[in-house]
């Protein structure tokens, strides 16, 4: 009997499960970055520091599909940068197909007295997807368990987002450049109430400002198969520790969206 293993078995041995898909272990970050983009905000009140189009990058946005509806998840404090205050309807998604910026039609957020502890906003883009102004691909599928169950204990945790130091808008060329980064780490005790945390390993050598709104994932073993699971939303990050809101708490926003 040959000692060779079938090619498919060898591929699975070096693959990780993300939802219903298997990707090679070294492709986890590129695969998940497809569900993220720089959070582009448009301010109606024109200001010199925002350039002639009133557009700026304010962190990261996570694109999600839930019950055949399409949303972007960001942290609430991304709307309150020192340079500009944005309205709730002003998050944009860039459509590469027709080179247009499309805004959401609904924003779901916590009451004012809970904003500091909740720090998350859900934007709905279902209408523009149904109208085919945005493609229906490229949205991370969230299932019911991921927003109702507690987080498993991860072997490793990581965030995928867009640090501001590597992302900018060229107003003269009417374009923006962006580079997604994946920061891996180990679970650690949080220093912020109502958050979970991981410590970057290896340590980051750049300012992680701008990664707010990044999705945080965990890696664990399920039935002997390595798998990636959605863990939460990044709200505070430094070179030493990344804090994020756990997925179960974020479930409240999705329940509000369906009401």
């Amino acid at each position: 009997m040959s000692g060779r293993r079938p090619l498919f078995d060898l591929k699975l041995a070096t693959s990780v499960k993300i939802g219903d898909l298997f990707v090679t272990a070294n492709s986890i970050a590129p695969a998940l970055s497809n569900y993220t983009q720089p959070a582009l905000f448009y301010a109606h009140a024109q200001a010199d520091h925002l350039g002639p189009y009133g557009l700026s990058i304010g962190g990261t946005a996570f694109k999600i599909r839930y019950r055949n509806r399409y949303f972007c998840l960001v942290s609430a404090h991304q709307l309150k940068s020192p340079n500009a205050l944005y309205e709730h309807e002003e998050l944009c998604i860039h459509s590469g197909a027709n080179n247009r910026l499309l805004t959401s039609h609904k924003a779901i957020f916590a009451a004012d007295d809970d904003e500091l502890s909740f720090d998350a906003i859900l934007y709905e883009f279902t209408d523009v997807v149904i109208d085919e102004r945005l493609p229906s691909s490229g949205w991370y599928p969230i299932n019911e368990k991921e927003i109702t169950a507690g987080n498993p204990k991860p072997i490793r945790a990581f965030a995928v987002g867009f640090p501001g130091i590597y992302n900018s808008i060229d107003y003269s060329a009417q374009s923006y450049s962006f580079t997604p980064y994946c920061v891996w780490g180990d679970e650690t005790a949080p220093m912020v109430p109502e958050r979970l945390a991981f410590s970057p390993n290896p340590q980051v050598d750049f300012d992680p400002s701008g990664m707010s709104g990044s999705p945080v994932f965990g890696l664990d073993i399920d039935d002997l198969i390595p798998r990636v699971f959605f863990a939460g939303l990044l709200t505070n990050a430094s070179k030493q520790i990344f804090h994020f809101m756990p997925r179960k708490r974020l479930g409240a926003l999705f329940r509000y969206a369906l009401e």
Side-chain angles (χ1 to χ4, degrees):
M1 180 175 178
S2 172
R4 296 178 181 176
R5 293 176 60 189
L7 180 61
F8 182 70
D9 285 351
L10 288 173
K11 182 175 177 62
L12 288 181
T14 59
S15 296
V16 177
K17 190 176 183 182
I18 302 178
D20 294 326
L21 302 176
F22 284 93
V23 301
T24 56
N26 61 355
S27 299
I28 294 174
L32 292 172
S33 68
N34 292 326
Y35 303 114
T36 63
Q37 70 158 52
L40 296 172
F41 290 99
Y42 177 77
H44 293 305
Q46 298 293 311
D48 291 340
H49 62 272
L50 291 178
Y53 304 100
L55 192 69
S56 71
I57 299 176
T60 301
F62 179 35
K63 297 167 61 183
I64 294 169
R65 186 181 80 244
Y66 175 66
R67 291 191 179 182
N68 293 319
R69 291 167 66 174
Y70 299 85
F71 302 93
C72 268
L73 184 63
V74 302
S75 58
H77 74 263
Q78 290 172 238
L79 281 75
K80 299 180 179 180
S81 71
N83 295 325
L85 296 177
Y86 303 105
E87 298 298 329
H88 285 118
E89 72 273 14
E90 293 174 335
L91 177 68
C92 305
I93 286 184
H94 179 250
S95 172
N98 51 25
N99 198 28
R100 296 178 60 192
L101 288 173
L102 301 167
T103 58
S104 65
H105 58 84
K106 182 189 292 185
I108 302 98
F109 49 91
D112 291 342
D113 59 359
D114 197 34
E115 280 188 351
L116 287 178
S117 64
F118 204 86
D119 197 10
I121 296 180
L122 195 63
Y123 289 91
E124 185 161 9
F125 286 85
T126 302
D127 287 357
V128 290
V129 174
I130 291 175
D131 292 344
E132 298 184 347
R133 287 177 286 166
L134 283 175
S136 58
S137 59
W139 305 78
Y140 183 86
I142 290 286
N143 62 47
E144 204 70 32
K145 181 179 179 180
E146 286 180 303
I147 55 173
T148 56
N151 287 15
K153 186 173 180 61
I155 298 170
R156 293 273 275 167
F158 60 100
V160 181
F162 298 87
I165 190 173
Y166 298 118
N167 302 284
S168 62
I169 294 177
D170 184 341
Y171 292 105
S172 62
Q174 299 186 35
S175 65
Y176 64 98
S177 61
F178 56 93
T179 302
Y181 267 74
C182 180
V183 178
W184 290 83
D186 302 310
E187 186 179 31
T188 190
M191 302 175 66
V192 176
E194 301 179 332
R195 298 289 187 270
L196 299 177
F198 69 90
S199 177
N201 181 14
Q203 288 191 331
V204 296
D205 58 359
F206 59 87
D207 181 354
S209 297
M211 290 196 68
S212 290
S214 300
V216 177
F217 299 96
L219 179 64
D220 72 350
I221 304 294
D222 182 31
D223 196 22
L224 302 180
I225 297 175
R227 64 149 187 163
V228 167
F229 63 88
F230 172 59
L233 179 73
L234 191 68
T235 57
N236 314 79
S238 69
K239 291 183 177 181
Q240 292 75 38
I241 189 169
F242 279 44
H243 286 93
F244 61 97
M245 186 180 300
R247 65 185 190 180
K248 185 175 181 179
R249 192 148 190 253
L250 292 167
L253 286 182
F254 291 92
R255 289 189 289 274
Y256 296 156
L258 298 178
E259 290 180 351

